[in-house]
Amino acid sequence: MVMAIPEFLLFAVHCAPTVYLPLFLNTLGYTATEIGLLFAFFNGAGIIVPLLIAPSLTHAKRLGIALCVIAAGLAATPVFLFRSSGFLATALCMSVYASFLRSSIPVCDSMVNTVLALKREQYGYVRGAGSVGFIAMSCIMQRFIDLKNCTPLAMTAWMSFPAVLLGAAAVPFVRLRQSPQSIEEYDDGNRSASVKSILASFGKKYYLVLFVVFMQYIGMVPANQFVSLYVRDALHSDNVGLIWAISVIGEIPLMLFSSRFIRRYGALKLIFFGTAAVTVRMFGYAFVPNIAGVVFAQLFHSVTFGLFYPACISFCAKGKYGRPLVVSMTLFAVINNLASAAGASFGGMLVDVAGYRTMFCTFALIPLAGLAVYAFVKQSSSCLHSV
């Protein structure tokens, strides 16, 4: 549990860009379509940078130093973000910020798995501290942020100060070393392996499952990036922080006991279950258009993330798919960002053109399409290996 404090602060940092950044941008005058496009840039940068740094992190012995650098970037970038003028300048700043933000999770997850070593199924216990950090920050921001009077300086402080705390918490871990197995188990210890050979080593079934995860994350775009706007604009409520806190509170029990479910049912079945649950969640937003419907849908976060995410981590970290660990974690982060980038601009345009219900219903069907493709390919291909 030595990683509980950095994990707590890591997801406290993630709270502001997840919950309030769309509202900050709207306060600054951006429309839903423009916000969707800005988040497309945001998530696009989250694809490129983790891929670029993955090969070097694979052989890095001290990931704590990398986390300190990332925290410094997260603290500095909002200073420029909320003082930029014009769409392109804002998009550039958001891309830089996303580069640090999206790199933080694979680095921290790799540190956690290094500490846990052979007990990686206990990841959910450590990740639970991250959920508590997100809840705490959501409640604090709900209590103290007044969007009508929120200045660029206040927006900067809300996004920068938690990152400063994260950097301070990462300092004691700068000497934490990856085990030789984590660094060298890939390719018989060939540390000069090319990126192409590393990516090819994971196998076809790994990428097929990543496709299902990709479709799950696309389906989750309305909940992850537009629910704050939906609650404020369509339901005329300012309780966005509380709504997000409810969803994360719901995820904690399944997150904590995820190891038991993974041992009993296997990571792959839980990934499929969490993917199908997205459809139910989106229909909850669409067909119960009030706060009760939002609360119902937010509680499904327990399955669509609280159970789904540890299952994905287990799938990526165990067996041959855990070689090399950082690359596997990075690929997982990359498909998350790729899905968000693909869905964000489309979702914003749907909101402005057809409304929130149409957006929710459209995205509800995407995870089902992912499961259908997996079933079709699995039946038609006998060369896929078991997990």
Side-chain angles (χ1 to χ4, degrees), residues 302-332:
S302 60
V303 178
T304 60
F305 184 82
L307 192 60
F308 177 82
Y309 187 79
C312 291
I313 294 295
S314 178
F315 177 81
C316 292
K318 293 182 70 174
K320 68 178 182 180
Y321 303 127
R323 300 195 299 266
L325 177 61
V326 177
V327 172
S328 188
M329 294 294 104
T330 301
L331 286 174
F332 175 59

Side-chain angles (χ1 to χ4, degrees), residues 205-280:
K205 188 168 187 177
Y206 177 86
Y207 290 109
L208 183 58
V209 174
L210 279 191
F211 173 76
V212 174
V213 174
F214 170 77
M215 298 295 274
Q216 198 266 13
Y217 274 117
I218 290 184
M220 284 289 292
V221 164
N224 290 337
Q225 299 187 345
F226 292 100
V227 75
S228 294
L229 290 172
Y230 171 67
V231 169
R232 193 189 65 172
D233 295 342
L235 303 184
H236 310 293
S237 173
D238 291 327
N239 294 318
V240 292
L242 180 60
I243 290 297
W244 276 91
I246 289 172
S247 71
V248 182
I249 289 171
E251 88 184 21
I252 291 178
L254 286 183
M255 183 77 72
L256 291 177
F257 294 103
S258 60
S259 59
R260 297 185 182 182
F261 289 101
I262 291 170
R263 285 195 299 268
R264 181 169 181 177
Y265 299 105
L268 197 56
K269 290 182 179 179
L270 296 180
I271 288 173
F272 295 156
F273 182 63
T275 300
V278 173
T279 300
V280 179

Side-chain angles (χ1 to χ4, degrees), residues 279-304:
T279 300
V280 179
R281 182 174 181 177
M282 291 303 113
F283 283 153
Y285 293 122
F287 296 112
V288 190
N290 52 43
I291 291 295
V294 173
V295 170
F296 167 81
Q298 291 294 86
L299 288 174
F300 260 77
H301 194 69
S302 60
V303 178
T304 60

Side-chain angles (χ1 to χ4, degrees), residues 10-40:
L10 173 67
F11 285 92
V13 169
H14 277 253
C15 178
T18 301
V19 180
Y20 278 94
L21 184 54
L23 298 176
F24 288 163
L25 294 171
N26 190 243
T27 299
L28 294 175
Y30 291 103
T31 66
T33 297
E34 290 172 329
I35 292 170
L37 290 172
L38 286 171
F39 271 96

Side-chain angles (χ1 to χ4, degrees), residues 154-184:
M155 296 175 189
T156 301
W158 282 113
M159 292 184 65
S160 295
F161 184 67
V164 173
L165 297 180
L166 174 63
V171 170
F173 296 91
V174 295
R175 294 187 177 183
L176 175 66
R177 292 177 176 269
Q178 293 194 76
S179 66
Q181 291 81 6
S182 296
I183 298 173
E184 298 179 351

